[in-house]
Amino acid sequence: MRRRSIAATVTIVAAATAAALTGCAADSRGQEPGTSPRSTNEVRELTRAEQGKVEHAEERLIQQCMRRQGLDYRVVPRVDADTDRAFSYRLVRDDVAWARKHGYGERLRRAFFEERERGQAVSPGKALSSAERERFATALQGPSDTPMLSVRLPAGGTVRSPNGGCTRTARDELYGDARAFFHADKIATNLSAVYMPRLMRDPRFTAALKAWSRCMRSETGRGYADPEAARADAQKRSDGLSDERAHAVEVGIAVAEAECARGITLHSTLVRLDGDYGAPVRERYAEEIADDRRMKLAALRRADRLEAGADAR
């Protein structure tokens, strides 16, 4: 059975859904690849489960807003902890038990998309006309001339998002101020890009990475310069195989990556260096981190009330 590669789609959807579906660059929530949370101004960060609850609440608020306008909006499926981890980027993975069960999470990601497609499916008789699609988009994100939210990221580059329609209504209700939250969140969750290039040039990291590579050659018979190369090879080698054989290939390489990361301290070296290089950057942006966490905690309380109200009906 031919297996379709979904790597590019994973990146797009993970960024769009944000459900710990983060799947993108490391951020201050997870610090980098698996480091422990840090307190900032005595305001804690959300757990991944709590973050998922907030994101699901935002989807439900958008749905309610769209329904008030007579439009059918399908809520993005809420993911479990394993699926969330499958979408979350880590420079190196060290959870051997998870890797033995899920590999790199390809099956979990594929199942998420399949469920999402089933939820969004409409019958041929309900296909939207171009005018209906335009009405839907306008209700969701505002008309085409709606001003965009825009934030310059600490490491360079700019991220933008529509700031209108039901999306803004939902975020204002959850976070109190959609514009303020967007600014704080995009800065607070994109700090590792500021220092990661220097961290990865540190002799302590390069020495640990070389040791990891030697371990991988011993375990798999293949030379991988870094974990990204191992994952790319797992995808290449599983392409075109049956689901069972592909999963076995993926699991074999993922388990080796995790065992080697633990055995030669690549992961612990990365955690230690994240403190050395990341702490000054996080201190520089402490206000944005604190604002981000405060608004997310407030959003969590609102999400709890929304969920309680739904359960009571």
Side-chain angles (χ1 to χ4, degrees):
M1 176 179 68
R2 183 71 176 177
R3 302 173 70 251
R4 179 172 57 88
S5 170
I6 60 172
T9 311
V10 166
T11 302
I12 294 169
V13 174
T17 62
L21 303 177
T22 109
C24 314
D27 59 33
S28 68
R29 253 191 313 128
Q31 296 312 328
E32 174 320 55
T35 65
S36 60
R38 291 173 169 78
S39 61
T40 302
N41 292 357
E42 301 179 351
V43 180
R44 72 172 179 86
E45 58 188 346
L46 300 188
T47 66
R48 290 196 175 277
E50 291 170 337
Q51 182 66 29
K53 177 182 285 189
V54 169
E55 289 159 359
H56 187 67
E58 180 179 323
E59 285 287 301
R60 289 176 59 195
L61 287 170
I62 291 173
Q63 183 183 58
Q64 291 171 10
C65 176
M66 296 289 279
R67 282 178 174 173
R68 288 194 293 270
Q69 301 179 58
L71 296 167
D72 183 24
Y73 179 86
R74 307 294 179 92
V75 172
V76 173
R78 187 171 178 177
V79 302
D80 57 27
D82 283 333
T83 302
D84 178 81
R85 182 180 291 195
F87 278 104
S88 301
Y89 175 81
R90 281 169 171 73
L91 188 59
V92 60
R93 296 176 181 267
D94 73 329
D95 189 332
V96 177
W98 196 91
R100 188 167 285 119
K101 183 176 181 180
H102 299 294
Y104 290 118
E106 177 75 7
R107 279 180 168 176
L108 293 169
R109 292 190 293 268
R110 191 164 63 249
F112 169 83
F113 288 120
E114 289 171 353
E115 181 183 352
R116 189 167 185 259
E117 288 173 1
R118 284 194 299 270
Q120 293 181 338
V122 295
S123 65
K126 293 185 179 180
L128 298 179
S129 67
S130 59
E132 288 171 330
R133 285 196 298 271
E134 183 176 351
R135 177 174 174 246
F136 186 94
T138 298
L140 180 62
Q141 298 182 329
S144 58
D145 59 352
T146 299
M148 299 280 284
L149 295 175
S150 179
V151 175
R152 177 76 175 174
L153 298 178
T158 300
V159 60
R160 296 181 175 84
S161 176
N163 189 38
C166 288
T167 300
R168 177 176 180 175
T169 299
R171 290 176 181 171
D172 278 341
E173 183 170 344
L174 263 185
Y175 300 106
D177 185 332
R179 183 180 297 276
F181 172 70
F182 184 80
H183 175 83
D185 187 57
K186 294 309 174 188
I187 290 177
T189 59
N190 284 281
L191 293 179
S192 64
V194 176
Y195 60 86
M196 195 58 67
R198 288 182 292 120
L199 183 157
M200 294 178 71
R201 292 193 297 269
D202 188 292
R204 291 169 290 178
F205 178 76
T206 56
L209 188 61
K210 288 178 181 177
W212 175 90
S213 183
R214 290 193 295 271
C215 176
M216 288 295 283
R217 181 176 288 280
S218 174
E219 292 294 320
T220 69
R222 291 174 175 262
Y224 299 120
D226 52 45
E228 198 64 40
R231 295 165 205 170
D233 187 52
Q235 184 174 2
K236 180 179 178 180
R237 290 175 61 194
S238 61
D239 192 29
L241 300 180
S242 68
D243 183 72
E244 288 299 321
R245 291 181 61 194
H247 185 65
V249 169
E250 179 187 341
V251 166
I253 297 176
V255 168
E257 175 184 328
E259 290 179 337
C260 286
R262 283 194 173 277
I264 53 82
T265 71
L266 175 59
H267 182 265
S268 59
T269 298
L270 190 57
V271 172
R272 185 168 62 253
L273 293 178
D274 180 82
D276 294 346
Y277 287 95
V281 176
R282 289 186 282 272
E283 181 62 28
R284 191 185 319 157
Y285 293 97
E287 183 177 348
E288 287 84 357
I289 294 173
D291 286 345
D292 181 54
R293 292 179 179 180
R294 271 195 295 269
M295 284 186 277
K296 284 179 177 176
L297 284 167
L300 178 62
R301 291 191 291 272
R302 294 177 183 121
D304 285 337
R305 290 196 295 270
L306 182 66
E307 192 169 272
D311 290 342
R313 288 195 291 271

